[in-house]
Structures are given as structure tokens and as C-alpha cells.
Amino acid sequence: MKVHIIGGGNLGVSIAVGIAKFSKNNQVTVTRRNTASILHLKELGITVSSDNKHQIQEADVVILTIKPYQVDTVLAEILPVIQNKTIASAVSGLSLEMLQTKTNNTLPVVRIMPNIAAQFGESATCISYPEKYKEAALPLVDLFQNLGTAPVIDEKLMDAATVLGACGTAYALRYVRASMQAGIEIGFDSQTALAIAAQTVKGAAQMLLEEKVHPEQLIDRVTTPQGCTIVGLNEMEHNGFSSSLIKGIKTSLNQIKGN
Ligand SMILES: NC(=O)c1ccc[n+]([C@@H]2O[C@H](COP(=O)([O-])OP(=O)(O)OC[C@H]3O[C@@H](n4cnc5c(N)ncnc54)[C@H](OP(=O)(O)O)[C@@H]3O)[C@@H](O)[C@H]2O)c1
């Protein structure tokens, strides 16, 4: 598949690098207006251009990784030259209905919600598409499965997917940062504290994904009765650990929905 990514910023570059590394049968082009900071991608075999239409006619799919307010400008530029191409949008808040209207109902449209771990083949990319475009969407599902997981979800959950799967990266990193800060307070230098905290989170996630069990089952394995883990965990809960996370996630969702 030839993939044309418009918007070579944080997400666009992550997807481009992920494709180059983990989905090698596909060719990828990435565009942005100022390419100076992404020219190094050429070393991975990625085509880089400041022209959104560069080789776009050879593409099978166009992926939009631009900000919402950039969509109209970019579509006005490329629509005249992308007949028969699937257009996939990672733009937060842009519904499939809006995308179909903006593309004059002429192209198969797919909504994707990846995260920047696509670069490491570890994104959780939620995907939605109108049933009539299933055939066009399935190659994209395959593509993003190579970059992590790619569940197909009901579009009404796309805002929730944005919060849990994309914003979730920041929440997880803040957990690691807090652990690191605590690690320094209890005796480690910052680099060692960071390495231990990050690897511990990675290990916990790996266990969950491979064993497919409820987190509490794994927590049971770590918490000795009257031990140091359970007293620390309970102290965190007394201070609102789970509650603050749930409230934060709901606040992010309300913000996306404009409530
Ligand atoms: N970052 C994430 O983790 C994440 C996750 C899921 C979804 N998203 C969504 O993905 C979109 C991009 O987010 P981001 O964080 O990657 O933003 P970003 O880093 O600002 O990237 C946007 C890129 O678009 C480029 N751009 C702007 N106007 C353009 C134009 N007319 N033609 C071509 N490229 C243009 C910009 O570069 P130039 O100024 O050089 O053109 C910039 O590099 C947003 O809608 C966001 O909601 C992001």
C-alpha cells in the first residue's frame, strides 16, 4: 500500500516511522509546510515533501494528521487530485459525517485514533468507518494492526477513544514521572529512578496484555497481607488515586465534547 500522510508533526511522523519500521511492505510519504525538522526520515526510506500533492496520485490512502482548523485548507488543495483514494482522518473531533460532507461524499472515509507509540509498533489505534466503506477500510485496519492494536469501534465512542487511547499516553507518562520523583526522594538518581519506573510500567502492561486478566488479579500477586505494597496502595486510594484518574478522564472527554 502507498500511504500519503499530510501533517508531519507529532502524530504524522510517528505513523510514518511506524510504517517504515513495522509495516515494511508499504511505502510512505509525509508532508508538512516546513520540512526541515523531518528530513532525517528519508534515511528510513520515507518520502518527505512540503507539497501536499507530491506523488499523491500514486497513493492508495491519504491520512490526515493535521489540526482541525487546517482541514479545510488541506482538503481544498488535494480534493481535485484524489479521486478514488481512501481518506483516513486522525483529526480529533472531526466526525465521519463532517468528513464525508467536506469531501462531497465522493471518497471512502475512515476515522482513526492512533497514539504516538505507533512509532514503536505499540499504538492502540481505534478505527471507525461507515459500513459501506468496509472494503476500503480493512487495509487500514491491517496497516494499524502492524503498528500495535487496531480495534474497530462504534464511531460514537471515538471521543472516548481519543481520551483513553491518545490522551492516555500523557496520563501514563505523568504516572511514570510521579513514580520517578518519589524514586528520587527515596534514594535513586533521576535516570535510575526513571529507568525502573518506566520498565515497571512496561512489565505490568505486558503481563496484562499477555495474560488477559483483570488488573486486580495481578495486584493480588504483588500484595502480601499486611505488606508494604498494600499499605502504600491503600494510602494512594485514600488520597484519591483512582478517583482523580477517573475524574481527569471524564474532564478530558467533556472538553472534547464541548461540555
Ligand atoms: N499527538 C497525538 O498524540 C495525537 C493523537 C491522536 C490524534 N491526534 C490528532 O492529530 C492531529 C495532529 O496532531 P499533532 O499532535 O501531530 O499536531 P502537530 O504536531 O502540530 O502536527 C500537525 C502538523 O501539520 C502540519 N501542517 C499544518 N498545516 C499544514 C498544511 N496546510 N499542509 C500540510 N501540513 C500542515 C504542521 O507542520 P507545518 O506547520 O510545517 O506545516 C504540523 O507538523 C490533531 O488533529 C490531533 O488532535 C494527535
Side-chain angles (χ1 to χ4, degrees):
M1 193 153 72
K2 290 185 177 163
V3 183
H4 190 94
I5 300 172
I6 297 183
N10 294 307
L11 184 62
V13 167
S14 302
I15 296 171
V17 173
I19 293 171
K21 287 189 174 169
F22 302 103
S23 197
K24 292 187 177 179
N25 293 334
N26 299 303
Q27 292 174 31
V28 58
T29 294
V30 61
T31 71
R32 63 180 290 172
R33 289 165 303 182
N34 182 352
T35 58
S37 63
I38 61 168
L39 289 174
H40 63 280
L41 297 180
K42 290 181 179 179
E43 290 163 23
L44 294 171
I46 297 168
T47 303
V48 173
S49 178
S50 57
D51 175 5
N52 288 334
K53 291 184 281 193
H54 179 72
Q55 294 180 351
I56 199 169
Q57 276 157 338
E58 292 164 30
D60 299 296
V61 56
V62 176
I63 298 182
L64 299 181
T65 51
I66 45 179
K67 302 281 190 194
Y69 58 85
Q70 293 155 342
V71 170
D72 288 344
T73 310
V74 167
L75 286 179
E77 195 182 344
I78 64 170
L79 273 180
V81 290
I82 57 164
Q83 294 84 4
N84 303 322
K85 316 242 176 259
T86 302
I87 188 146
S89 161
V91 179
S92 303
L94 182 66
S95 69
L96 286 168
E97 191 182 357
M98 286 154 72
L99 187 57
Q100 287 183 93
T101 304
K102 285 177 187 294
T103 53
N104 308 317
N105 290 296
T106 53
L107 303 169
V109 293
V110 180
R111 199 168 164 193
I112 56 173
M113 191 46 64
N115 66 46
I116 56 171
Q119 178 162 352
F120 302 94
E122 297 290 353
S123 172
T125 306
C126 292
I127 301 182
S128 294
Y129 48 82
E131 194 52 31
K132 64 180 173 180
Y133 295 134
K134 184 173 182 179
E135 201 180 322
L138 289 182
L140 270 158
V141 176
D142 282 348
L143 178 77
F144 279 97
Q145 277 171 346
N146 290 331
L147 309 192
T149 58
V152 175
I153 63 166
D154 190 321
E155 201 205 357
K156 68 175 189 276
L157 284 172
M158 217 19 133
D159 289 338
T162 307
V163 174
L164 212 56
C167 309
T169 304
Y171 311 144
L173 291 170
R174 186 56 67 82
Y175 168 86
V176 172
R177 191 194 81 167
S179 297
M180 178 188 171
Q181 288 173 316
I184 296 167
E185 194 172 327
I186 61 177
F188 290 103
D189 64 82
S190 62
Q191 285 309 310
T192 309
L194 176 58
I196 294 172
Q199 179 61 36
T200 302
V201 170
K202 185 180 173 193
Q206 190 79 15
M207 285 192 288
L208 277 176
L209 292 171
E210 288 192 14
E211 294 198 19
K212 297 185 171 52
V213 293
H214 191 284
E216 283 304 322
Q217 281 178 262
L218 296 176
I219 289 175
D220 277 348
R221 288 191 216 161
V222 191
T223 44
T224 308
Q226 295 185 317
C228 62
T229 311
I230 192 65
V231 295
L233 209 47
N234 284 345
E235 182 66 16
M236 290 177 202
E237 291 300 349
H238 292 319
N239 285 288
F241 183 75
S242 295
S243 170
S244 81
L245 195 61
I246 293 164
K247 281 185 176 173
I249 288 171
K250 287 167 68 179
T251 302
S252 290
L253 184 61
N254 282 337
Q255 211 263 2
I256 289 187
K257 288 182 179 293
N259 296 339

